[in-house]
C-alpha cells in the first residue's frame, strides 16, 4: 500500500490519495498540559522549553471536516502566547470546547497541536463536505465557526464562540497533518510557493477587517493611517492594504533597517520609535513628540491608527488620531491594561474600535488579493518543523520581520509554484521583499 506522505509529495491524483491509508500517528509541534506551570514566576518564558515536536495520534474526522497534509505553516503571535501559557493556558479553551460534547470533545487532550496558518493538500474529506476533495491545494482560514449559531449568518465574529484554529482548537497546522472544517478552506494562490502561501491568511485577513471592513475603520481614499509595527506580521499587510485603498501609510518601526524596509513596502512616511527621545511614548510629552513628527512628515494627523501593541502605545494612539478619527485595535502585545486620556477621545469625538480575526468571506477577499498579486507575502525566514522552537523564539523576541514560515512536509523551500507566468508578472523582487530581513 503506498505511503500517503509519499503520494502527496509526488503530486498523486485524487483517487490515489484516497486509496493510501491515513497513518495512525503524525509529527506535530505541541505543548503539554503537564507543563502549564513550568515557568512559574520566571520573567523570560522561553518558548523553546515548552514547544515539543513529536508523534501524536491521528484524530478521527468529523463529517464537516477535512484532513490536510500540511506542506508549510507559519508562526503567529498566538503560537507565542500558547507556548508561554499566557494569558491563560490554551488547554482551558480545549476543555471549554469539549463541554459542547460530540466531536468537540476530541480536542480536550493532554497535548495541544498548535498553528493557525497552513498551505497543503486535502487528503480526506468528511461525508458532509461538498466543495472540497482529496488533491485540492488549499490555504486555511483561521476561524472555526459554528454554522448553527444564528449570528454566523450576519457576522461570524459575532457568534458566541468563534474559535481561533490551532489556538482555541487542537490539531493545528504546525504539523505534518491538520484537521480543519471545510468552511475554512480556500484555494492556494497558484503562483506562490508552499511557504509563501502559508504565511499570509491570519495576519492579512485580520488587517483587512481592521482597515477595510464595515466592522473596522472603513478606510477611504486619502486617509492617513498610522501603522504600529509596520514591517511586523499584521503591519506588513496593513501597509499594502492602505496603499491598495488609496490611503497614506505612516509606518512606525524600531530600527534604520526596518525604516528602509517599510519605505520599500510602500510607507509614505516612517518613524523610528527609538528616535522619539528620552521617555519614548510614555505620557503626554512622548505622545506630543509622536504627533509632531507625524505632522512634520505628512502635514496632518492620522484618520486611522492601526493598533495591536497595546499598553505602551495606546495612550499615544488615542492622542495622535485626528478629530473624528478611529483607533482600531486587535491586540495588546505589551500589556492588556491600557491607559489613555479620555479628554482626547470625547472632546475630539474619536472612536476606539475592537476587531478580532476575520470572517471566512473577508479572508476569501484577502486570498483573492493575494492571488491577483495585489498583496504579496511578507515572509522573511523559513525554518524546518523540527526547529519550530527556535522560530517561535525569534518571534517572541521580536527579532523577525514580517512572517516566519515553517516547512512541514515540504522537503525544501521554493516548491508548489503552479503559475510561473503570474509570478513573473508580479516580480520576484516584490514577492521576496522581506526575505532575509
Ligand atoms: N485579534 C486578532 O485577531 C489578532 C490577529 C493577529 C495578531 N493579533 C495580535 O496582534 C499583535 C501583533 O501581532 P503580529 O503578528 O503583528 O506580531 P509581530 O509580527 O511580532 O509584529 C508586531 C510588531 O510590533 C512592533 N512592536 C513591538 N513592541 C513594540 C512596542 N513596545 N511599541 C510599538 N511597537 C512595538 C514590532 O515592530 P518594531 O519593533 O519595528 O516597532 C513588531 O514588528 C499580537 O499581540 C497578536 O497576538 C491579534
Amino acid at each position: 500500500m503506498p505511503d500517503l506522505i509519499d503520494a502527496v509529495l509526488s503530486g498523486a491524483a485524487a483517487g490515489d490519495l484516497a486509496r493510501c491509508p491515513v497513518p495512525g500517528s503524525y509529527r506535530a509541534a505541541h505543548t503539554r498540559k503537564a507543563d502549564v506551570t513550568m515557568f512559574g514566576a520566571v520573567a523570560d518564558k522561553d518558548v523553546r522549553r515548552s514547544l515539543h515536536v513529536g508523534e501524536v495520534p491521528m484524530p478521527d474526522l468529523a463529517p464537516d471536516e477535512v484532513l490536510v497534509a500540511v506542506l508549510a505553516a507559519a508562526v503567529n503571535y498566538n503560537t507565542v502566547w500558547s507556548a508561554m501559557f499566557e494569558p491563560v493556558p490554551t488547554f482551558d479553551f480545549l476543555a471549554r470546547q469539549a463541554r459542547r460534547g460530540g466531536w468537540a470533545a476530541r480536542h480536550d487532550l493532554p497535548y495541544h497541536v498548535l498553528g493557525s496558518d497552513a498551505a497543503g493538500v486535502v487528503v480526506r474529506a468528511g461525508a458532509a463536505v461538498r466543495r472540497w476533495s482529496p488533491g485540492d491545494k488549499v490555504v486555511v482560514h483561521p476561524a472555526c465557526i459554528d454554522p448553527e449559531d444564528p449570528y454566523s449568518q450576519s457576522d461570524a465574529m459575532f457568534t458566541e464562540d468563534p474559535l481561533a484554529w490551532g489556538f482555541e482548537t487542537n490539531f493545528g497546522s504546525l504539523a505534518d497533518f491538520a484537521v480543519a472544517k471545510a468552511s475554512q478552506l480556500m484555494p492556494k494562490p497558484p503562483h506562490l510557493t508552499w511557504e509563501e502561501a502559508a504565511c499570509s491568511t491570519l495576519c492579512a485577513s485580520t488587517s483587512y477587517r481592521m482597515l477595510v471592513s464595515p466592522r473596522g475603520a472603513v478606510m477611504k481614499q486619502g486617509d492617513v493611517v498610522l501603522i504600529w509595527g509596520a514591517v511586523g506580521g499584521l503591519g506588513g499587510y496593513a501597509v499594502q492594504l492602505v496603499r491598495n485603498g488609496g490611503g497614506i501609510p505612516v509606518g512606525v518601526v524600531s530600527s534604520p533597517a526596518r525604516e528602509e524596509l517599510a519605505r520599500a513596502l510602500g510607507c509614505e512616511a516612517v518613524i523610528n520609535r527609538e528616535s522619539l527621545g528620552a521617555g519614548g511614548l510614555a505620557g503626554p510629552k512622548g505622545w506630543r513628540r509622536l504627533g509632531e513628527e507625524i505632522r512634520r512628515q505628512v502635514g496632518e494627523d492620522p484618520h486611522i491608527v492601526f493598533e495591536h501593541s497595546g499598553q505602551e502605545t495606546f495612550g499615544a494612539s488615542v492622542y495622535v488620531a485626528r478629530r473624528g478619527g478611529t483607533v482600531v485595535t486587535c491586540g495588546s502585545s505589551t500589556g492588556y491594561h491600557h491607559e489613555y486620556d479620555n479628554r482626547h477621545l470625547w472632546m475630539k469625538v474619536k472612536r476606539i474600535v475592537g476587531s478580532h480575526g476575520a470572517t471566512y468571506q473577508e479572508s476569501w477577499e484577502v486570498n483573492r488579493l493575494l492571488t491577483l498579486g495585489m498583496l504579496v507575502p511578507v515572509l522573511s525566514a523559513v525554518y524546518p518543523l523540527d526547529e519550530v522552537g527556535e522560530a517561535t523564539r525569534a518571534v517572541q523576541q521580536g527579532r523577525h520581520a514580517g512572517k516566519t514560515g515553517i516547512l512541514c512536509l515540504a522537503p525544501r523551500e521554493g516548491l508548489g509554484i503552479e503559475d510561473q507566468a503570474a509570478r513573473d508578472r508580479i516580480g520576484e523582487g516584490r514577492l521576496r521583499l522581506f526575505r532575509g530581513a
Side-chain angles (χ1 to χ4, degrees), residues 105-373:
R106 277 172 310 164
H107 293 260
D108 189 12
L109 293 166
Y111 58 87
H112 187 180
V113 180
L114 307 175
S116 305
D117 262 323
V121 177
V122 174
V123 291
R124 286 291 186 278
V129 175
R130 291 175 295 112
R131 293 175 181 235
W132 304 92
S133 43
D136 288 343
K137 299 180 177 76
V138 294
V139 293
V140 183
H141 163 61
C144 299
I145 302 299
D146 176 1
E148 291 178 19
D149 185 318
Y151 284 86
S152 66
Q153 298 280 331
S154 70
D155 185 317
M157 301 318 290
F158 288 6
T159 54
E160 202 174 320
D161 209 1
L163 300 172
W165 184 57
F167 179 64
E168 293 168 293
T169 71
N170 216 325
F171 323 125
S173 66
L174 292 165
D176 289 342
F177 293 93
V179 174
K181 282 182 183 287
S183 56
Q184 293 176 252
L185 299 183
M186 305 186 290
K188 170 190 167 288
H191 64 287
L192 298 180
T193 65
W194 292 114
E195 60 278 8
E196 289 169 349
C199 77
S200 298
T201 311
L202 187 145
C203 276
S205 56
T206 302
S207 299
Y208 181 90
R209 183 177 171 96
M210 289 173 75
L211 290 166
V212 179
S213 157
R215 306 290 186 198
V218 202
M219 195 200 88
K220 63 185 191 312
Q221 294 175 46
D223 277 359
V224 174
V225 183
L226 184 77
I227 300 166
W228 294 103
V231 298
L234 290 169
Y237 294 105
V239 170
Q240 298 181 64
L241 289 164
V242 171
R243 274 245 90 104
N244 284 348
I248 300 168
V250 179
V252 185
V253 294
S254 62
S255 72
R258 289 186 178 188
E259 282 183 58
E260 209 174 298
L261 184 57
R263 281 205 182 83
L265 184 63
C267 282
E268 212 142 292
V270 184
I271 296 165
N272 182 345
R273 62 186 167 91
E274 298 295 325
S275 70
L276 287 172
L281 291 161
K285 275 194 185 144
W287 307 346
R288 266 199 295 277
R289 275 197 298 272
L290 177 66
E292 282 160 11
E293 185 55 25
I294 297 168
R295 283 185 183 176
R296 193 185 68 76
Q297 292 202 34
V298 290
E300 51 183 325
D301 299 329
H303 298 76
I304 297 170
V305 181
F306 183 86
E307 248 292 343
H308 48 84
S309 27
Q311 198 173 71
E312 286 186 19
T313 55
F314 206 81
S317 295
V318 171
Y319 177 81
V320 299
R322 74 165 54 196
R323 184 178 287 276
T326 302
V327 177
V328 60
T329 175
C330 77
S332 290
S333 304
T334 63
Y336 295 103
H337 295 286
H338 300 180
E339 261 186 37
Y340 62 89
D341 185 333
N342 202 31
R343 291 169 299 178
H344 296 304
L345 191 82
W346 99 68
M347 294 294 286
K348 295 191 175 166
V349 286
K350 304 178 187 184
R351 298 187 308 149
I352 295 172
V353 173
S355 191
H356 183 51
T359 65
Y360 187 32
Q361 179 261 337
E362 287 161 343
S363 265
W364 193 277
E365 300 284 357
V366 164
N367 197 49
R368 176 171 172 268
L369 294 177
L370 284 155
T371 305
L372 291 169

